């Protein structure tokens, strides 16, 4: 269309020049003839400028029409996401022909990698998957599977409404342009896909002219992760830097002191292209840009699909509900897993949640027949005398400390789980000199700083040296994290708790019964 307008401009120019020249054949004054030619030239120049202005407006309208068509396509794509219909049990056989990711048993697999492993003949295309587990959590999602990525695995790509090149509107303030990314999957399903996969990534490109991400310490652009938190790195992972682009990582930005090409002060078209690789924060949920208000400023963003590949491998016997979830368990209930110290532990797994959710895994105690988690018990001794008051009693000899709940250096037992614990103490008090007065030594058991019980002994033969053994037992209801220790509560001058390599002082305890949890 622009070429046609240029042709008409030149034709008009020649026609007008011819008519004007013919009109001057009767002129007799040479000077007047020249002046007339000058005037005619000015008129023609004005007409030419007008036609060029019209040509620019036509080109602008064509550009706006192209952007409008792209926006309409984006809206149609978003609406198709909202209208997607999932296969029902009643139409299972019919849907299996439409959705080849549904296996012969009616199960929808959890990722394209799982489809590739189970059905090697599957081709690339749109497939249904259910990352958080079929029958629990959110509905299955429709994704693009690239089955040619690797012979042993397929890549899973989640579509969204911002994959095309989109212009950033002109504005001044930081983040004044903000676009929410609408995916064809829920946040929970994408989080589950990330936890299942060996790696995930998402590409992003920003074409810019005088539109910096950051300048003079002022941040104008950022993106929000799947948790809604702002992030300022445009390639790599959070370990890369607080603010950086791929050229900043490779030290080849157009300006050596810049972390991104778009941060350059050059008023020329530039671009930053990166791949976000931190699967714990992906996908990108919002893009925010600013400072595109200058006359020559511009910004265009292009966001790639959220893509994951591979499977997280579980080696040996599962050691947690997360391991069970990774290998495909979806039925909530009691499971046996390999706990600490190579001891089988029984746990309750709530597979309606994801591994990172609170309440996903709960340890169980004796509340169920023959079910217990990792045992906790200790037996420690002293080999030196002790006479300090007001502080927990430390121990030097570790005979048994299964579960690691007893800290000998501090003398403090920290309950790893809620339940009932039994403690027993035996000590030898020495009254080293004869005294006409009654001498004493008392030791108490403390729970979170409060005295819960006390053992006490006094000299019986006041006129001679004496050793007296005494004991203390206690059963306490503890919460996870509660702390228990021994402490001298009262002591006469010169009296002390005696010990040597013969070990007269003993402290033992064990978890009798754990509190159990319900499934909610």
């Amino acid at each position: 269309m622009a070429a046609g307008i240029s042709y008409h401009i030149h034709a008009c120019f020649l026609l007008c020049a011819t008519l004007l020249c013919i009109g001057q054949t009767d002129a007799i004054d040479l000077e007047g003839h020249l002046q007339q030619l000058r005037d005619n030239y000015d008129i023609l120049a004005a007409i030419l400028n007008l036609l060029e202005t019209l040509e620019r407006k036509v080109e602008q309208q064509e550009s706006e029409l192209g952007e409008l068509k792209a926006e309409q396509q984006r809206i149609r794509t978003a609406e198709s996401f909202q209208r997607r219909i999932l296969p029902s049990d009643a139409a299972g056989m019919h849907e299996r022909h439409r959705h080849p990711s549904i296996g012969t048993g009616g199960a929808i697999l959890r990722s394209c990698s799982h489809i590739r492993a189970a059905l090697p003949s599957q081709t690339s295309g749109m497939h249904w998957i259910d990352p958080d587990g079929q029958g629990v959590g959110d509905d299955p999602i429709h994704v693009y599977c690239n089955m040619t990525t690797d012979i042993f695995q397929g890549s899973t790509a989640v579509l969204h409404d911002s994959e095309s090149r989109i212009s950033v509107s002109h504005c001044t303030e930081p983040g004044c342009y903000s676009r929410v990314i609408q995916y064809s999957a829920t946040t929970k399903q994408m989080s589950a896909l990330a936890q299942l996969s060996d790696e995930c990534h998402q590409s992003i490109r920003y074409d810019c002219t005088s539109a910096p991400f950051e300048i003079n310490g002022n941040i104008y652009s950022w993106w929000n992760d799947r948790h809604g938190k702002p992030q300022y790195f445009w390639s790599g992972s959070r370990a890369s830097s607080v603010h950086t682009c791929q050229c900043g990582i490779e030290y080849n930005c157009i300006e050596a002191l810049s972390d991104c090409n778009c941060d350059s002060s050059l008023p020329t078209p530039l671009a930053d292209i990166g791949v976000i690789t931190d699967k714990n924060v992906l996908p990108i949920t919002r893009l925010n840009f600013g400072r595109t208000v200058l006359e020559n400023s511009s910004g265009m963003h292009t966001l790639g699909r959220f893509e994951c590949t591979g499977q997280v491998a579980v080696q040996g016997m599962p050691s947690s509900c997360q391991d069970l979830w990774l290998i495909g368990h979806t039925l909530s209930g009691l499971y046996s897993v390999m706990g600490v110290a190579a001891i089988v532990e029984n746990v309750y797994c709530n597979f309606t949640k994801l591994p990172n959710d609170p309440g996903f895994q709960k340890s169980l105690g004796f509340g169920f027949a023959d079910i217990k988690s990792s045992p906790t018990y200790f037996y420690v001794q002293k080999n030196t005398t002790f006479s300090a008051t007001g502080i927990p009693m430390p121990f030097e000899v570790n005979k048994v400390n299964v579960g690691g709940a007893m800290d000998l250096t501090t003398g403090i037992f920290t309950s790893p789980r809620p339940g009932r614990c039994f403690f027993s103490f035996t000590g030898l008090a020495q009254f080293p000199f004869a005294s006409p007065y009654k001498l004493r030594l008392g030791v108490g058991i403390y729970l979170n700083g409060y005295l819960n019980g006390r053992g006490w002994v006094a000299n019986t033969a006041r006129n001679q040296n004496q050793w007296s053994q005494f004991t203390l037992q206690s059963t306490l209801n503890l919460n996870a994290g509660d702390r228990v220790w021994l402490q001298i509560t009262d002591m006469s001058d010169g009296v002390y708790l005696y010990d040597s390599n013969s070990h007269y002082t003993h402290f033992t305890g064990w978890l009798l019964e754990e509190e159990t949890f319900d499934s909610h």
Side-chain angles (χ1 to χ4, degrees):
M1 180 178 288
I5 292 178
S6 298
Y7 169 79
H8 290 300
I9 290 174
H10 292 295
C12 182
F13 182 90
L14 293 174
L15 177 61
C16 293
T18 302
L19 292 174
L20 289 171
C21 287
I22 292 174
Q24 301 305 318
T25 55
D26 296 334
I28 18 180
D29 183 6
L30 182 59
E31 185 64 32
H33 180 63
L34 291 174
Q35 182 60 44
Q36 185 65 42
L37 287 174
R38 294 190 188 97
D39 294 341
N40 292 341
Y41 179 81
D42 291 340
I43 294 172
L44 289 172
I47 294 173
L48 183 60
N49 288 336
L50 177 61
L51 291 174
E52 288 177 345
T53 300
L54 291 174
E55 182 180 15
R56 286 194 297 270
K57 288 186 176 180
V58 170
E59 291 176 347
Q60 181 179 358
Q61 289 176 349
E62 288 180 338
S63 176
E64 291 176 352
L65 179 61
E67 292 182 359
L68 179 60
K69 289 181 179 179
E71 180 66 15
Q72 289 175 339
Q73 179 62 36
R74 183 192 67 78
I75 293 173
R76 285 194 295 270
T77 302
E79 289 176 348
S80 70
F81 290 160
Q82 298 172 358
R83 291 195 303 267
R84 70 185 190 277
I85 301 175
L86 303 177
S88 62
D89 293 337
M93 291 300 296
H94 175 68
E95 291 299 331
R96 279 194 285 276
H97 291 291
R98 291 178 52 203
H99 309 300
S101 56
I102 302 178
T104 56
I108 300 179
L109 300 179
R110 303 177 74 182
S111 71
C112 296
S113 180
H114 287 84
I115 296 174
R116 181 68 181 83
L119 306 169
S121 62
Q122 287 298 328
T123 59
S124 298
M126 298 300 295
H127 293 261
W128 291 97
I129 63 171
D130 198 352
D132 66 356
Q134 188 175 7
V136 298
D138 292 354
D139 290 335
I141 58 177
H142 210 198
V143 298
Y144 180 82
C145 293
N146 184 350
M147 299 304 187
T148 62
T149 302
D150 189 294
I151 191 171
F152 298 112
Q153 62 184 28
S155 68
T156 305
V158 181
L159 285 63
H160 60 79
D161 66 347
S162 303
E163 297 177 24
S164 61
R165 197 164 177 254
I166 299 175
S167 178
V168 173
S169 58
H170 287 273
C171 56
T172 306
E173 300 301 320
C176 50
Y177 169 90
S178 185
R179 182 179 181 85
V180 176
I181 314 301
Q182 301 289 343
Y183 289 89
S184 62
T186 63
T187 299
K188 182 180 180 182
Q189 287 283 37
M190 290 188 287
S191 177
L193 176 62
Q195 294 182 56
L196 282 170
S197 303
D198 186 53
E199 72 85 29
C200 298
H201 60 271
Q202 192 167 17
S203 64
I204 184 168
R205 176 187 178 112
Y206 190 55
D207 293 279
C208 56
T209 301
S210 298
F213 295 125
E214 179 177 322
I215 186 170
N216 297 328
N218 297 315
I219 298 174
Y220 290 94
S221 302
W222 63 91
W223 54 272
N224 295 93
D225 62 24
R226 78 163 176 253
H227 310 292
K229 297 180 179 179
Q231 301 290 346
Y232 305 97
F233 63 97
W234 299 91
S235 190
S237 66
R238 287 173 295 178
S240 301
S241 179
V242 174
H243 166 68
T244 193
C245 295
Q246 186 61 33
C247 71
I249 297 173
E250 298 176 350
Y251 301 103
N252 59 3
C253 294
I254 193 168
E255 289 185 351
L257 297 180
S258 296
D259 293 315
C260 298
N261 287 324
C262 287
D263 292 343
S264 169
S265 58
L266 298 176
T268 57
L270 299 169
D272 279 300
I273 306 172
V275 178
I276 309 299
T277 59
D278 192 336
K279 74 173 189 175
N280 295 314
V281 299
L282 288 174
I284 295 172
T285 58
R286 183 188 290 266
L287 292 171
N288 311 276
F289 298 97
R291 201 180 182 277
T292 56
V293 73
L294 300 179
E295 183 177 352
N296 65 334
S297 294
S298 66
M300 300 280 287
H301 63 76
T302 308
L303 184 63
R305 296 172 178 177
F306 174 52
E307 188 169 0
C308 296
T309 61
Q311 303 178 38
V312 176
V314 177
Q315 304 293 337
M317 180 177 175
S319 60
S320 65
C321 292
Q322 181 172 359
D323 286 351
L324 294 169
W325 179 82
L326 286 171
I327 62 179
H329 288 276
T330 59
L331 181 63
S332 298
L334 301 177
Y335 291 86
S336 295
V337 298
M338 183 61 70
V340 297
I343 297 175
V344 174
E345 179 180 359
N346 291 274
V347 294
Y348 178 84
C349 301
N350 185 353
F351 289 123
T352 64
K353 302 175 180 289
L354 293 182
N356 292 337
D357 294 340
F360 175 72
Q361 174 175 322
K362 298 176 181 179
S363 297
L364 299 175
F366 294 125
F368 296 86
D370 298 324
I371 295 178
K372 64 179 180 179
S373 62
S374 300
T376 300
Y377 52 89
F378 70 91
Y379 171 40
V380 294
Q381 300 172 335
K382 291 193 67 62
N383 58 15
T384 61
T385 59
F386 183 74
S387 59
T389 59
I391 62 171
M393 184 186 302
F395 292 86
E396 293 79 38
V397 180
N398 178 16
K399 303 297 286 186
V400 177
N401 192 12
V402 174
M406 180 63 183
D407 187 331
L408 274 73
T409 303
T410 64
I412 297 175
F413 170 86
T414 303
S415 178
R417 292 175 294 278
R420 282 158 290 284
C421 289
F422 174 78
F423 299 94
S424 177
F425 165 77
T426 299
L428 182 64
Q430 181 176 10
F431 304 94
F433 53 87
S435 172
Y437 305 104
K438 185 176 183 180
L439 302 178
R440 66 193 184 281
L441 175 64
V443 172
I445 186 167
Y446 285 76
L447 170 59
N448 296 328
Y450 294 95
L451 180 65
N452 269 259
R454 181 185 305 185
W456 189 85
V457 65
N459 62 331
T460 55
R462 299 185 181 182
N463 294 320
Q464 62 183 21
N465 221 2
Q466 179 182 331
W467 283 265
S468 296
Q469 199 165 38
F470 64 108
T471 62
L472 168 65
Q473 289 82 37
S474 180
T475 302
L476 301 175
N477 287 316
L478 302 179
N479 295 315
D482 281 350
R483 304 195 308 163
V484 177
W485 66 83
L486 298 173
Q487 185 174 311
I488 292 179
T489 56
D490 52 302
M491 182 178 60
S492 300
D493 291 341
V495 178
Y496 49 83
L497 190 66
Y498 176 81
D499 216 321
S500 66
N501 290 331
S502 297
H503 308 299
Y504 298 103
T505 306
H506 313 267
F507 186 32
T508 186
W510 61 87
L511 186 59
L512 287 172
E513 182 180 4
E514 296 180 40
E515 293 289 348
T516 57
F517 298 86
D518 59 27
S519 60
H520 302 289

